[in-house]
Amino acid sequence: MDATPYDALLICSFGGPNGADDVLPFLRNVTRGKNIPEDRLVTVGEHYYGFGGRSPINGQNLALRSAIEAELSARDVRLPVLWSNRNWHPYTVDVLRDAVAFGARRFLVLVTSAYASYSGSRQYREHLAQAVADLGVPDVGIDILRPFFNDPGFVDANTEAIVEAVGGLDGDGPVHVVYVTHSIPDTMQRASAATGPGYREQHEDVRATIDERLHDAFGPGITSSLAYCSRSGDPRTPWLEPDVSDELERLHAEGVRRVVIAPIGFISDHMEVAFDLDVEAMETATELGLSAARAGTAGIRPAFVCGLVDLVLERAARERGEDVAAPVVGGLGAFPDEAPAGSCRMRDGEVTGIPVLAGTAD
């Protein structure tokens, strides 16, 4: 099988600290230009210190890189797999510089966010455009894989994880699945919906698809809802709600006693999952007397990894001019390879003039 015209696949992620000394410098990187007080950074830093100052995200990206390499090798596809971060080492421009020194010029990028929004897609397009500008090599080309929230492999992997969690619950009786994703400001949600299905609607599509499968497996007694975690910034600014802990309290008041918390908004168990769900949300569930289990993320489940490699080969074939399908599940179609003009801005209609890749008509 062939990955031509690409010289390398780059996994581009958010980044995270590797030790206690990294925590505050990392958080300053993430919040640069946002006027976040230092004492707030110190408070958030405590989340990391509780895990030894080390975010799990870097190790999980290394595991994902290894899993993708193994799947490519099993299909006899020769394509180097690289990894870089927006906010911490290894920085994207440094990884690209090394790859270019070894002769790579055309890169396909896998952004470690399945959903389209400013923070999950456009901000990475800005970051990659800046990295290419900083690199200063004129013949470097970068394409980005389309959002993959409705890719069969991603949905299959999340379904498997939820089925396992339901099977591990204590007690008997109905089960409610709380699907969880990272909250975003209402303004960002509206901007994400300006040129297609919005961030919330993408998640609701995944929720509906998995619900149908759960009903097939367990019967119609399983119910569900969508909740959010990890909101930040000015508390006066409206963000998507409900918060997952508030949702657990609502469900308890309505008589729900068995819940699965399913982090479908994340591809791996990084800090928002490890702290916001495994610590805070599970503490809330315990205080309420709920029987609760947290489903795993897609991680390196074979279905997810195979789906990602399918996406890579699909995009490579399309770049070679071949007519190939873009398989999806659920009620929404495949998102385009090139982002539509004006899509996924921080605020709808706000033109910042910041260069982007993978949709330069913008």
Side-chain angles (χ1 to χ4, degrees):
M1 302 182 74
D2 194 359
T4 306
Y6 296 113
D7 299 316
L9 173 67
L10 174 65
I11 299 170
C12 187
S13 191
F14 187 83
N18 288 311
D21 291 343
D22 294 345
V23 171
L24 284 178
F26 163 73
L27 291 173
R28 292 182 189 117
N29 269 358
V30 172
T31 60
R32 184 173 289 114
K34 298 180 181 178
N35 298 317
I36 305 296
E38 184 77 2
D39 59 352
R40 173 59 182 161
L41 300 185
V42 171
T43 299
V44 173
E46 293 300 325
H47 300 175
Y48 290 92
Y49 297 135
F51 293 84
R54 184 182 184 90
S55 171
I57 193 171
N58 293 325
Q60 288 161 8
N61 282 322
L62 287 169
L64 180 61
R65 183 177 72 176
S66 294
I68 291 173
E69 287 174 333
E71 180 63 22
L72 287 167
S73 178
R75 301 193 197 191
D76 199 26
V77 178
R78 296 177 61 85
L79 184 68
V81 184
L82 314 173
W83 161 57
S84 74
N85 289 323
R86 260 175 44 203
N87 297 297
W88 202 245
H89 307 281
Y91 289 111
T92 299
V93 66
D94 297 330
V95 173
L96 289 175
R97 185 176 291 113
D98 288 346
V100 166
F102 282 93
R105 290 296 183 274
R106 184 95 183 260
F107 299 85
L108 180 60
V109 176
L110 164 63
V111 170
T112 56
S113 172
Y115 301 85
S117 69
Y118 175 74
S119 56
S121 52
R122 188 183 185 95
Q123 194 169 18
Y124 282 93
R125 294 167 55 213
E126 294 174 349
H127 165 72
L128 288 161
Q130 185 62 55
V132 171
D134 292 344
L135 189 65
V137 178
D139 58 344
V140 169
I142 289 185
D143 295 328
I144 302 175
L145 281 178
R146 60 182 170 83
F148 53 84
F149 66 93
N150 55 359
D151 178 72
F154 180 69
V155 175
D156 287 351
N158 278 285
T159 303
E160 290 169 6
I162 295 169
V163 168
E164 291 169 5
V166 171
L169 279 173
D170 294 330
D172 299 310
V175 175
H176 187 96
V177 180
V178 182
Y179 296 95
V180 183
T181 190
H182 202 300
S183 187
I184 60 173
D186 287 3
T187 51
M188 196 181 294
Q189 159 62 24
R190 288 193 292 272
S192 73
T195 58
Y199 178 78
R200 178 174 52 213
E201 291 70 33
Q202 296 162 41
H203 286 83
E204 290 286 7
D205 187 59
V206 174
R207 171 191 167 199
T209 305
I210 297 178
D211 276 356
E212 185 175 346
R213 298 179 181 189
L214 295 178
H215 293 158
D216 290 341
F218 299 106
I222 287 190
T223 56
S224 75
S225 55
L226 178 64
Y228 302 89
C229 68
S230 307
R231 76 149 291 161
S232 60
D234 190 333
R236 297 169 296 182
T237 301
W239 284 51
L240 293 182
E241 296 179 337
D243 176 79
V244 58
S245 289
D246 293 340
E247 179 66 359
L248 292 174
E249 291 177 359
R250 182 189 72 81
L251 292 169
H252 178 264
E254 292 185 355
V256 171
R257 293 297 177 263
R258 302 173 77 219
V259 297
V260 166
I261 299 170
I264 60 167
F266 307 92
I267 73 165
S268 63
D269 293 13
H270 52 70
M271 190 55 65
E272 281 85 353
V273 176
F275 183 82
D276 293 30
L277 301 187
D278 290 346
V279 176
E280 290 190 329
M282 291 301 288
E283 283 180 355
T284 299
T286 299
E287 290 168 1
L288 294 169
L290 297 173
S291 173
R294 201 268 286 172
T297 48
I300 55 171
R301 289 175 178 267
F304 179 46
V305 175
C306 288
L308 291 177
V309 172
D310 288 343
L311 282 165
V312 168
L313 298 179
E314 168 202 314
R315 180 61 186 273
R318 200 149 44 240
E319 291 300 312
R320 294 194 301 268
E322 299 173 24
D323 185 12
V324 292
V328 295
V329 293
L332 304 179
F335 274 41
D337 292 331
E338 295 280 308
S343 66
C344 290
R345 297 189 182 279
M346 185 176 289
R347 300 172 187 83
D348 186 22
E350 181 181 75
V351 179
T352 62
I354 299 173
V356 294
L357 295 180
T360 52
D362 206 7

